Amino acid sequence: MFLLFLNLDLLRIHHLSSVDPMCRQRGDPENPLLSKDGDFILGGMFSFHSSWEDRMDNYTHKPMPLQCTSLNFRDFQFAQAMRFAIEEIDNSTDLLPGISLGYKIYDTCGSVARSVGVTLALANGNEIVSVPLKAPCTRPAHVQAIIGETSSSPTIAVATVIGPFVLPVISHFATCACLSDKTKYPSFLRTIPSDYYQSRALAHLVKYFGWTWVGAIRTNNDYGNNGMATFTETAQQLGICLEYSVSFFRTDPYVKIQKIIDIIKASTSKVIVAFLSHADLDVLLPEFSYHNLSGYQWVGTESWIFDSQTAKMDIHHILDGAIGLSIPKAHVTGLREFILDFWETLFSCKFKELKSSAEILRECTGHEEMTGVQNSYTDMSLMPIFNNVYKGVYAVAHALHNILSCNKTCNKNVQLDPFTVLQHIRKIHITTKEGDDVYFNENGDPAAKYEIINWQPRGNGIVEFVTVGLYDTSLTPEKQLNLQNESLIWARNTKQVPVSVCSEKCPPGTRKVLQKGRPVCCYDCIRCAEGQISNVTDSVTCVKCLPEFWSNERRDACVKKEAVFLSYEEIMGALLTAASLFGACMTIGVILIFFKYRKTPIVRANNSELSFLLLVSLILCFLCSLTFIGQPSDWSCMLRHVAFGITFVLCISCLLGKTIVVLMAFRATRPGTNVQKWFGQTQQRLCVTGFTLIQIIICIIWLTTSPPFPSKNLIEFKDKIILECALGSAVGFWAVLGYIGLLAILCFIFAFLARKLPDNFNEAKFITFSMLIFCAVWITFIPAYISSPGKFSVAVEIFAILASSFGLLICIFIPKCYIILLKPEKNTKRNMMGKKAPNSL
């Protein structure tokens, strides 16, 4: 490096000390391979060779010229398309009349360094210019525009160098999205869409077929790296993951190729996105064939997907079924014949290895004939790219036509400058003779439109490039991709779309959980929890059902929870209903018996009026339990608690009255007592009425302030809705229940005090026992009611009502019915008074 700087300094000193009054281009002149004089010159840059011989420069002497190798017929064809367009324009009387266009076409050998040198040669020319010693060596640009380069990396270098001079550069095949940056490349335009659109289109194509787990190979240059970066970014947005992404350049050592092969073999993805130039794929393909890397689904770019030479190299059918994007098919009338005529001239020279293109032109006479030759030069499958070159030349010609104000003649006196030419090229909007629109957007790019190509093998090892769809960015996003799936053929010549996923899709009812340390496309499917669902495939979350709904067994839909309440149809409800009706009927039977034997001493002994009222209240107690069965409503919720509270208070008030009557009756028989007059029938009625009225007042206050109402209990059971009656005011409920308990305790106390009265008459002991049962039932009821879930709490309350009602009925009235019906001899006043019958003589 030190020697390099030293030599440069010596050259600078030599130049400053020179007194030669000539402006000379430094370094060796670059001479065009093909040229033609004209009023205006267009430059052309193509890689007639695809490689060059390595050399070791030691910077101790001037480097030798680049030795190009590997003839590239593709770019020969591109150059001929440029020549054809210029000759067609020169022969036209409508476009640039009276003006001849010339060209200077250079071979860059695919070298970035040589491309830069050629760019400067086209801008400056190679002529020696004589100027005064102190005058600047400046003059107008030698060419009006440059057509080329073919690939992105050399084009970037060319556009960077020529950008400050605003000399138009129009590429036919450089697709790197980076070239759309007008701040870096102000004078660059192209007739092929930017890779920004192609990369995004490839990602959408991969997503369309459900491939979320793919591998990627790219050319290690601006074309491959930038294109793959855009593809990766879009793929991530679409939920596509790259298992691997490797780079390759055709000059890489074999070790790099072997590493790529090992990565592919070890991978689980079955789809490979190849953002490769045709030259790099041509190097990889024989190695892939040798290692039998078949069965993979290839997705390709426009660089190789419709390249017939690549298809011919694929003798082991590694790429069969490949799918990718290509420039739409095109046709330029007369171009094929023009290229074949030129090839016929070259072929007749019988060069087996063409080392110098200048020798070709020098040796051939142009009168040779070509018979049945088929090779890469005669192949017209790249006609869309030829058309791009053709459109680029016509864009420049129309810009010159407008600048020169051409009508029937052109104004040759107009002084052209690169900036003016560039501005007019940017503004043109023309239609070629084949009907193709030519225009550039603000980034110097054309509209992006691609055909989707599918490699379909035919007989004799021939591969046909079948158009199976279209990708048009001018349409709305949902209509941009249009495919004909039925005509597709995939890897291994199958009709079944390949599957390439890291994890299978999670079905509805599950959610995705990412696998630790792996890409987002690798996940496990976890079943949704109870009460949650997912009704789409590959859901990332489970949605909680609304409170009144619950997840079904598959966890893919929310179903309305089952409404649960104590109904008449179920066994428990039917049994309780039957028990309630049986108790009511049994009580009615007792009433009938008492009514029939109402004149007998046992009925009259203890206030028959209270007995009948007690029996009626017991009927109501049995029947009020029916209001607890069935679906709760506003009226049933209020009625059940009010009816229960009032009927039971009425019942216990009657018992309390009967107990007091018993006590008063025996107190009144003692000498000097006058108790019975204070508790006669009127007082008994007032007592019952007063006690019941207090409960009625409590119920009215409860109903007017915060009455019971139907509610849905969504907490007790996860998958069921309990329809129940909310208390409204818990204070009101417990006040009703507490008042019943208070009366029951008073009744129990009075009955307990009367326990030692004569047995034959003593009804108090039966009341005591019935109150003991009553209190035991309701004391047990409280914890059972609180702890019972759902409808069972209602059943517990009904059971408590029925049990206490049966206890009162059986303990108080069944013994009397037993005497009335089965022991009538005991149903006498003497027996009731406890006196023994006289002994018979």
Side-chain angles (χ1 to χ4, degrees):
M1 185 61 70
F2 173 78
L3 291 174
L4 172 62
F5 287 123
L6 180 60
N7 286 330
L8 289 174
D9 287 339
L10 290 174
L11 287 172
R12 189 182 301 110
I13 293 170
H14 174 74
H15 175 73
L16 291 174
S17 62
S18 175
V19 294
D20 190 354
M22 300 292 180
C23 283
R24 298 177 182 271
Q25 180 182 357
R26 299 179 65 179
D28 293 329
E30 293 285 354
N31 296 313
L33 185 66
L34 301 170
S35 64
K36 174 188 174 185
D37 291 332
D39 296 322
F40 299 103
I41 305 297
L42 301 186
M45 300 171 60
F46 303 98
S47 298
F48 295 144
H49 298 82
S50 58
S51 189
W52 59 89
E53 292 181 358
D54 289 334
R55 64 188 183 190
M56 297 298 295
D57 293 325
N58 55 18
Y59 303 105
T60 59
H61 56 81
K62 184 179 178 181
M64 296 295 293
L66 201 66
Q67 297 297 314
C68 300
T69 61
S70 303
L71 198 62
N72 180 12
F73 284 109
R74 287 167 52 119
D75 277 54
F76 261 121
Q77 292 175 311
F78 299 157
Q80 297 314 306
M82 179 179 174
R83 291 181 62 242
F84 172 78
I86 290 175
E87 291 195 13
E88 190 175 74
I89 293 168
D90 286 346
N91 294 329
S92 172
T93 57
D94 297 324
L95 185 60
L96 292 175
I99 299 293
S100 64
L101 292 180
Y103 54 81
K104 287 189 176 181
I105 299 176
Y106 287 82
D107 178 14
T108 62
C109 298
S111 167
V112 173
R114 182 153 183 162
S115 296
V116 172
V118 167
T119 302
L120 295 175
L122 286 170
N124 298 323
N126 293 325
E127 298 86 351
I128 298 175
V129 181
S130 176
V131 298
L133 180 61
K134 295 183 180 180
C137 292
T138 60
R139 64 172 181 169
H142 185 65
V143 296
Q144 306 306 319
I146 298 175
I147 306 297
E149 254 266 16
T150 299
S151 56
S152 293
S153 291
T155 304
I156 290 172
V158 170
T160 302
V161 170
I162 210 66
F165 306 103
V166 291
L167 182 64
V169 176
I170 304 177
S171 175
H172 52 282
F173 210 40
T175 57
C176 180
C178 58
L179 287 165
S180 296
D181 187 351
K182 295 300 104 179
T183 59
K184 293 182 178 179
Y185 316 107
S187 64
F188 176 78
L189 305 102
R190 54 185 159 194
T191 53
I192 190 170
S194 165
D195 275 339
Y196 171 80
Y197 302 104
Q198 179 176 218
S199 300
R200 291 176 61 83
L202 285 175
H204 283 282
L205 186 65
V206 170
K207 180 65 175 180
Y208 178 86
F209 293 111
W211 301 326
T212 58
W213 187 239
V214 301
I217 307 176
R218 68 186 186 276
T219 295
N220 192 15
N221 60 13
D222 296 288
Y223 166 73
N225 293 331
N226 284 280
M228 186 54 68
T230 303
F231 171 83
T232 303
E233 179 183 356
T234 307
Q236 289 176 348
Q237 295 171 357
L238 296 175
I240 301 168
C241 300
L242 269 64
E243 184 179 11
Y244 58 86
S245 180
V246 294
S247 61
F248 174 76
F249 196 72
R250 51 189 172 273
T251 57
D252 285 344
Y254 179 77
V255 176
K256 183 67 175 290
I257 300 176
Q258 186 60 50
K259 183 179 179 181
I260 293 173
I261 292 171
D262 293 340
I263 290 173
I264 295 175
K265 285 184 174 181
S267 67
T268 57
S269 57
K270 298 300 179 184
V271 175
I272 302 175
V273 178
F275 221 106
L276 293 166
S277 69
H278 74 95
D280 295 315
L281 184 58
D282 290 348
V283 174
L284 290 172
L285 198 53
E287 298 300 327
F288 289 166
S289 299
Y290 178 76
H291 289 274
N292 193 28
L293 292 183
S294 59
Y296 291 93
Q297 179 60 46
W298 291 81
V299 180
T301 62
E302 91 296 327
S303 179
W304 64 268
I305 197 66
F306 66 108
D307 190 287
S308 59
Q309 296 306 312
T310 302
K312 289 177 182 177
M313 289 185 63
D314 187 24
I315 57 176
H316 291 92
H317 305 285
I318 300 298
L319 302 178
D320 278 4
I323 191 170
L325 304 177
S326 76
I327 308 303
K329 291 182 176 64
H331 176 71
V332 181
T333 304
L335 178 57
R336 182 178 186 277
E337 292 74 16
F338 181 87
I339 292 177
L340 291 180
D341 287 344
F342 186 81
W343 166 245
E344 186 174 305
T345 301
L346 295 181
F347 178 76
S348 62
C349 295
K350 299 181 177 58
F351 286 107
K352 293 184 179 179
E353 183 177 357
L354 304 177
K355 293 185 178 180
S356 170
S357 299
E359 290 179 6
I360 299 173
L361 299 178
R362 185 171 60 251
E363 298 289 339
C364 299
T365 65
H367 299 289
E368 295 80 5
E369 294 183 359
M370 173 183 164
T371 55
V373 176
Q374 295 293 327
N375 62 11
S376 59
Y377 194 76
T378 63
D379 177 29
M380 294 294 124
S381 62
L382 298 179
M383 184 62 75
I385 311 303
F386 305 162
N387 188 42
N388 286 346
V389 177
Y390 180 84
K391 290 190 291 186
V393 174
Y394 264 84
V396 177
H398 276 274
L400 294 175
H401 185 90
N402 295 334
I403 295 171
L404 300 177
S405 303
C406 296
N407 190 359
K408 293 185 178 180
T409 59
C410 297
N411 183 7
K412 297 183 180 181
N413 297 322
V414 175
Q415 184 67 38
L416 296 180
D417 64 272
F419 182 76
T420 302
V421 176
L422 177 62
Q423 291 302 104
H424 279 77
I425 293 176
R426 285 179 174 174
K427 293 177 182 178
I428 65 106
H429 192 149
I430 61 172
T431 302
T432 66
K433 64 181 181 181
E434 308 298 341
D436 296 327
D437 288 335
V438 181
Y439 61 92
F440 304 97
N441 63 15
E442 64 277 6
N443 295 322
D445 299 328
K449 188 175 182 179
Y450 300 94
E451 288 182 353
I452 301 174
I453 300 297
N454 182 217
W455 283 34
Q456 298 188 3
R458 304 301 186 208
N460 302 322
I462 297 174
V463 173
E464 183 179 353
F465 302 144
V466 179
T467 302
V468 294
L470 188 68
Y471 188 89
D472 189 350
T473 59
S474 65
L475 303 177
T476 56
E478 63 275 7
K479 296 181 179 179
Q480 288 179 353
L481 183 61
N482 183 17
L483 272 168
Q484 301 168 359
N485 292 6
E486 63 277 0
S487 61
L488 285 165
I489 292 179
W490 302 103
R492 298 187 187 277
N493 202 23
T494 65
K495 289 280 189 178
Q496 186 67 33
V497 179
V499 176
S500 185
V501 294
C502 182
S503 300
E504 292 294 333
K505 290 181 178 295
C506 286
T510 62
R511 62 183 177 90
K512 297 195 295 187
V513 176
L514 299 181
Q515 296 176 0
K516 189 175 181 180
R518 302 200 69 189
V520 295
C521 299
C522 302
Y523 48 81
D524 297 316
C525 298
I526 305 299
R527 195 173 188 225
C528 291
E530 290 185 335
Q532 297 181 344
I533 66 159
S534 64
N535 54 7
V536 295
T537 303
D538 276 345
S539 176
V540 295
T541 58
C542 292
V543 180
K544 190 174 182 180
C545 293
L546 293 174
E548 295 188 9
F549 292 82
W550 193 250
S551 56
N552 60 1
E553 184 62 29
R554 296 189 301 273
R555 306 284 201 275
D556 59 358
C558 287
V559 295
K560 196 169 182 63
K561 290 181 180 179
E562 178 188 0
V564 177
F565 58 89
L566 188 61
S567 67
Y568 294 101
E569 288 78 14
E570 58 182 298
I571 295 176
M572 185 167 58
L575 290 175
L576 292 174
T577 301
S580 175
L581 295 175
F582 175 74
C585 292
M586 187 176 175
T587 307
I588 292 172
V590 173
I591 290 176
L592 293 175
I593 292 172
F594 268 48
F595 182 78
K596 182 177 180 180
Y597 296 97
R598 63 185 180 279
K599 302 293 186 180
T600 60
I602 199 168
V603 176
R604 299 179 59 189
N606 196 296
N607 196 335
S608 59
E609 184 179 336
L610 285 180
S611 295
F612 280 108
L613 186 58
L614 175 60
L615 287 169
V616 171
S617 65
L618 282 175
I619 292 174
L620 296 177
C621 287
F622 281 117
L623 294 179
C624 81
S625 63
L626 297 178
T627 62
F628 288 82
I629 304 175
Q631 184 172 346
S633 64
D634 290 330
W635 284 105
S636 66
C637 286
M638 290 188 289
L639 180 62
R640 65 173 58 173
H641 290 101
V642 171
F644 156 69
I646 293 175
T647 55
F648 262 83
V649 165
L650 178 61
C651 180
I652 296 173
S653 298
C654 293
L655 285 177
L656 187 58
K658 289 175 71 66
T659 307
I660 294 175
V661 167
V662 172
L663 283 174
M664 295 301 104
F666 280 92
R667 297 291 182 186
T669 59
R670 296 180 184 179
T673 59
N674 193 21
V675 177
Q676 190 167 4
K677 70 177 183 178
W678 298 106
F679 206 78
Q681 287 191 355
T682 303
Q683 287 78 12
Q684 293 172 23
R685 294 190 191 101
L686 290 175
C687 177
V688 172
T689 303
F691 287 140
T692 306
L693 187 60
I694 293 173
Q695 183 73 307
I696 292 173
I697 293 172
I698 293 174
C699 291
I700 290 174
I701 295 173
W702 182 18
L703 293 178
T704 54
T705 55
S706 181
F709 58 90
S711 69
K712 297 178 180 179
N713 187 340
L714 306 173
I715 301 174
E716 198 75 42
F717 293 100
K718 295 180 295 184
D719 56 345
K720 295 178 182 178
I721 299 176
I722 301 173
L723 301 181
E724 60 185 10
C725 287
L727 297 177
S729 172
V731 175
F733 172 74
W734 290 110
V736 169
L737 208 62
Y739 183 67
I740 295 173
L742 176 63
L743 292 182
I745 292 172
L746 287 176
C747 188
F748 176 75
I749 292 172
F750 285 126
F752 181 78
L753 294 175
R755 70 189 186 283
K756 294 182 179 180
L757 298 179
D759 290 344
N760 288 357
F761 185 77
N762 192 4
E763 190 180 39
K765 65 180 181 181
F766 298 118
I767 296 175
T768 303
F769 189 64
S770 66
M771 284 295 100
L772 190 63
I773 294 174
F774 184 90
C775 292
V777 167
W778 286 101
I779 290 172
T780 308
F781 158 77
I782 294 173
Y785 177 80
I786 295 173
S787 61
S788 296
K791 63 183 180 181
F792 297 103
S793 63
V794 178
V796 167
E797 191 169 359
I798 295 174
F799 179 79
I801 293 172
L802 294 178
S804 56
S805 299
F806 274 112
L808 294 174
L809 179 65
I810 292 172
C811 292
I812 296 174
F813 292 101
I814 294 303
K816 294 182 180 182
C817 291
Y818 174 76
I819 292 173
I820 293 171
L821 298 176
L822 300 178
K823 298 290 184 179
E825 67 276 8
K826 293 184 177 182
N827 190 5
T828 63
K829 185 175 181 180
R830 180 182 294 274
N831 188 64
M832 294 298 103
M833 298 300 292
K835 297 178 181 180
K836 295 182 179 179
N839 295 329
S840 57
L841 297 176

